[in-house]
Amino acid sequence: MTAPTPPGAPIRVLIADDQEMIRTGFRFFLNAQPDITVVAEAADGEEAVALARRERPDVCLLDIRMPKLDGLEATRLLAGPEVADPMRVVVVTTFDLDEYVYGALRGGACGFLLKDSGPTLLAEAVRAAAAGDSLVSPSVTVRLLKHLTAPQTVSAAPAKPAPPTEPLTDRELDVVRLVALGRTNAEIAAELYVSLSTVKTHLSSVQLKLSARNRVEIAAWAWQHGYGQPGT
């Protein structure tokens, strides 16, 4: 996978959405961030894949429903398991459907965000992806827990995290509980009275110990082991 963006370098972003108004809004907000710059825009999936391969942005923001090639297929072509040098893709969509979430994560996306999540979470998702981390919309994370822990076919659900390679610390478990409740990194930091960088450090450690690829898998582990309820 492409190396994380060097410190101090602006995060280069590609936006792909068939609605010009959405692209304009995303571009306006992201370009206003001191550490992010939009380097390319695409109105359909085929153009998105071509531009991404040519420009090699740090992060690709892809809508799901686009002409010519949908966002899930574009994600697979840019970040899927068969890609030699996968890119960082965040799927940003209006459609809050389980099949889309599963498809995006199986296709290699490192983030899944709903368009109504707000600009702050959008910027956080871009920064997380550029740093090699993952962010899944908190509302999606919480809602998926029931599906992840219910009987279902193997093909329908993301892979479950392996048992921890070593025990989680008490503080890591505190962070995991809040991830399972759908809190953002900023909300976790505020609730635990720690810095944002401390939360990110704990999450990185948790991901390594659980062999988890994203917040959904961390939350699933928490739910399955009794850490997904308030007060546990």
Side-chain angles (χ1 to χ4, degrees), residues 76-148:
R76 189 187 65 78
L77 291 174
L78 294 174
E82 304 301 321
V83 179
D85 187 14
M87 305 180 72
R88 292 187 171 86
V89 173
V90 176
V91 171
V92 187
T93 180
T94 304
F95 303 100
D96 185 10
L97 300 177
D98 293 344
E99 61 187 279
Y100 288 159
V101 181
Y102 298 149
L105 297 178
R106 284 199 306 267
C110 65
F112 188 98
L113 204 62
L114 300 179
K115 289 180 181 177
D116 63 3
S117 296
T120 300
L121 204 57
L122 175 65
E124 186 176 338
V126 168
R127 294 185 181 110
D133 298 326
S134 302
L135 188 149
V136 177
S137 185
S139 61
V140 172
T141 299
V142 172
R143 185 178 51 76
L144 282 178
L145 294 178
K146 294 180 181 178
H147 298 279
L148 290 169

Side-chain angles (χ1 to χ4, degrees), residues 22 25 56 73 90 103 136 228:
I22 295 294
R56 298 298 301 182
E73 180 63 15
V90 176
V136 177

Side-chain angles (χ1 to χ4, degrees), residues 10-24:
I11 301 169
R12 302 171 66 255
V13 176
L14 175 147
I15 300 171
D17 196 294
D18 61 338
Q19 297 185 51
E20 184 177 0
M21 185 178 298
I22 295 294
R23 297 198 307 274
T24 299

